[in-house]
Amino acid sequence: MRREWPGAVELRVEIDGEDARALAYPALVGRPEPGDTVLLNTTALAMGLGTGGYAMVVAVPDRLPPDPAGPGHLVKARYTPLQATVLGADEQDSPHHDLLAEADSLDGMPVLVADLHSALPALLSGLLLERPGTRVVYVMPDGGALPSWFSMSIAQLKEAGVLAACVTVGQAFGGDLETVTVHTGLLAARLVLDADVAILAQGPGNLGTGTRWGFSGVTAGEAVNAAAALSGRPVASLRVSSGDARERHQGVSHHSLTAYGRVALAPADVPVPRLPGGFGAKVTAQAAALGDRHTLVPVAVDGLEDALRADEKAWGVRMSTMGRRLDGDLEYFLTCAAAGRHTASLL
């Protein structure tokens, strides 16, 4: 065993005489013990993936987990060998079903939307700098990782007391609450978990193909529509980078321009960070393309870097995106924190 966090156990395994890292989800495959033979999926290792570079434990053949005993009738990761049966907050056997059956409104709750999972701690940092004690619930769709247990950030942020809960929606699973859709996930965050703010960003491991439409972050635009349909207040956090070597992600990423400019049909607040110098001017000019549909909100970044560095240490969470830390792509994290700062002003 190497380390573990809620829902996941990291292992050191031997594959053909070579040491490797592996990850097991005990709720699905049982808990491996030293000396066990385990069945592994080594796709991530073969592909050299940075995010998710683990062999995944599929089974412990000599010691299978007990059959699921319920309650719950929602099947997630459906029709795969590791499909999981969970209790959905919105299903008929749930104690929350009556509350959610006719629920139709978020009553103006801010819904802070981002593309990448790495935005989550930075969004919280900016939000809680301005409004300490805000009750924040993370709603995780299924564009990236399906098990929320894969995210160390969720576990660390909850342990630090700055994230109240996680709701997993669609095919994603493992949250404090499970729901069928983003819509019921947002409603559960508000009505069941008493969220002041919901943050919606895909789980770890987004997928992109270098094409305009072929990236999992289109869920950010869809989340804006869902929040608006439910009378929430969508806030669209831009994906901004100075450290990404790919031209299409320099300044405001083309993913943000597509998700918010084409996929999001409802208006949102788009916080635009007041970054210094020529790079800041570039971001402002690029973001202007979203002004026809959305409300562009200039946001000062004063004090945000200090808050990010202090929170990283205090919360025990790693501020990192695509392998770049704070010093490697500070503008990315400042932009997320600025979106959190603006969201705090809506409360």
Side-chain angles (χ1 to χ4, degrees):
M1 303 294 178
R2 294 183 53 161
R3 54 183 174 168
E4 62 182 286
W5 55 94
V9 177
E10 187 181 72
L11 313 170
R12 185 179 298 279
V13 297
E14 184 178 298
I15 305 173
D16 296 331
E18 299 290 334
D19 280 350
R21 293 189 313 162
L23 198 68
Y25 303 124
L28 294 184
V29 302
R31 184 181 178 87
E33 299 294 343
D36 280 342
T37 296
V38 292
L39 178 64
L40 299 173
N41 181 319
T42 59
T43 301
L45 297 182
M47 294 181 67
L49 297 182
T51 299
Y54 289 101
M56 303 301 298
V57 177
V58 177
V60 185
D62 296 332
R63 188 163 19 83
L64 298 176
D67 292 335
H73 296 89
L74 296 193
V75 180
K76 297 198 174 187
R78 290 186 285 278
Y79 308 113
T80 69
L82 293 180
Q83 61 186 3
T85 303
V86 298
L87 176 66
D90 42 355
E91 70 169 285
Q92 287 87 343
D93 289 345
S94 166
H96 311 300
H97 179 263
D98 289 347
L99 177 63
L100 296 174
E102 300 298 328
D104 202 36
S105 177
L106 299 174
D107 298 320
M109 179 184 71
V111 177
L112 179 49
V113 176
D115 179 351
L116 300 177
H117 189 70
S118 57
L120 179 59
L123 297 168
L124 281 167
S125 184
L127 172 59
L128 296 176
L129 175 66
E130 304 299 333
R131 286 292 299 263
T134 300
R135 186 171 173 81
V136 183
V137 172
Y138 171 52
V139 178
M140 181 177 136
D142 51 18
L146 296 187
S148 65
W149 305 318
F150 185 75
S151 171
M152 233 185 296
S153 294
I154 296 174
Q156 291 164 331
L157 293 167
K158 288 174 64 178
E159 184 177 357
V162 294
L163 183 67
C166 170
V167 182
T168 37
V169 308
Q171 297 276 13
F173 59 91
D176 299 282
L177 289 180
E178 309 275 2
T179 70
V180 176
T181 67
V182 166
H183 298 75
T184 48
L186 290 171
L187 289 165
R190 178 64 165 176
L191 300 177
V192 177
L193 296 171
D194 298 318
D196 299 316
V197 173
I199 292 178
L200 195 149
Q202 61 184 329
N206 75 302
L207 180 61
T209 60
T211 64
R212 173 172 292 172
W213 296 102
F215 67 103
S216 53
V218 295
T219 55
E222 294 163 354
V224 168
N225 295 334
L230 295 171
S231 301
R233 181 79 182 267
V235 178
S237 178
L238 294 171
R239 177 175 168 183
V240 165
S241 178
S242 65
D244 198 312
R246 296 167 294 180
E247 179 62 30
R248 65 185 183 272
H249 294 304
Q250 280 283 319
V252 179
S253 169
H254 76 115
H255 286 345
S256 286
L257 298 177
T258 299
Y260 301 141
R262 302 288 297 279
V263 179
L265 303 179
D269 287 359
V270 178
V272 181
R274 290 177 175 153
L275 299 169
F279 184 81
K282 178 180 180 176
V283 167
T284 298
Q286 290 173 314
L290 300 173
D292 288 345
R293 180 171 301 161
H294 304 297
T295 301
L296 303 180
V297 184
V299 180
V301 298
D302 308 61
L304 293 180
E305 180 179 353
D306 289 343
L308 288 164
R309 295 187 186 281
D311 290 339
E312 181 178 47
K313 183 176 181 180
W315 301 345
V317 68
R318 182 185 176 98
M319 300 274 184
S320 178
T321 184
M322 304 290 183
R324 299 184 297 274
R325 303 294 301 277
L326 279 168
D327 290 330
D329 206 348
L330 180 60
E331 291 80 4
Y332 170 82
F333 299 100
L334 289 175
T335 300
C336 296
R341 169 173 273 174
H342 172 66
T343 302
S345 73
L346 303 179
L347 299 173

